Every structure is written in C-alpha cells, then in structure tokens.
Amino acid sequence: MSDVRHVLVLPDRDTAEEVTELLTAGFALPEEPRLVRDALAGEDDAEDAQWLLVLEDPAGLLDPAELEAVATAHEGWIEE
C-alpha cells in the first residue's frame, strides 16, 4: 500500500486541538497528528488563519468518510 496523508482543515487552533484529542482517543493512529497554522493568502491578522491537522496513515487504515464527519462536525472539512 502507498502512504496516505489526510489533511483536515479547521477554523481555529482551539478546534484543531479539540479534534486532535478526539482523534487520538478514538482512532488507532500510527503517530500523533501534526497541527499546522495556515494563514489565508494576503491576510496578516492571526485571526484569519485556518489550522491544518495532518494525519499520516501509512497503512491506509483510516476511513476518510469518518474523518470527514469529524471535521464537518467541527466546522471544517477534509482536503482531497
């Protein structure tokens, strides 16, 4: 199987940290998810940033539909 990376886009850091805890507790993750701040193009204000939650899934075991449901429940989405 090829390595898979899932990227959840979330509206703010608090939400991203909450989703990280939820996923870590509820899914068998091979490693800790990475949080990455993604400033919107042309915006300098820290409030205008999305947070990316990057999940490495080398065995391809995580269900993208389940991840999408978690992201959507927290006002986010999963990048394809």
Side-chain angles (χ1 to χ4, degrees), residues 25-79:
F27 291 81
L29 301 178
E31 63 183 60
E32 181 81 14
R34 286 190 334 258
L35 274 174
V36 179
R37 182 179 177 272
D38 182 35
L40 299 175
E43 298 294 334
D44 293 327
D45 188 351
E47 295 297 318
D48 293 324
Q50 297 171 327
W51 285 82
L52 307 179
L53 184 57
V54 181
L55 301 161
E56 300 295 335
D57 184 17
L61 299 176
L62 298 174
D63 181 355
E66 287 183 49
L67 297 174
E68 177 77 32
V70 171
T72 300
H74 292 85
E75 301 179 18
W77 65 91
I78 190 169
E79 283 291 310

Side-chain angles (χ1 to χ4, degrees), residues 1-32:
M1 288 190 173
S2 62
D3 286 353
V4 176
R5 175 178 292 143
H6 305 281
V7 179
L8 283 67
V9 181
L10 299 159
D12 56 56
R13 183 181 186 117
D14 289 342
T15 302
E17 289 174 346
E18 179 182 334
V19 171
T20 298
E21 290 176 16
L22 179 72
L23 293 177
T24 301
F27 291 81
L29 301 178
E31 63 183 60
E32 181 81 14

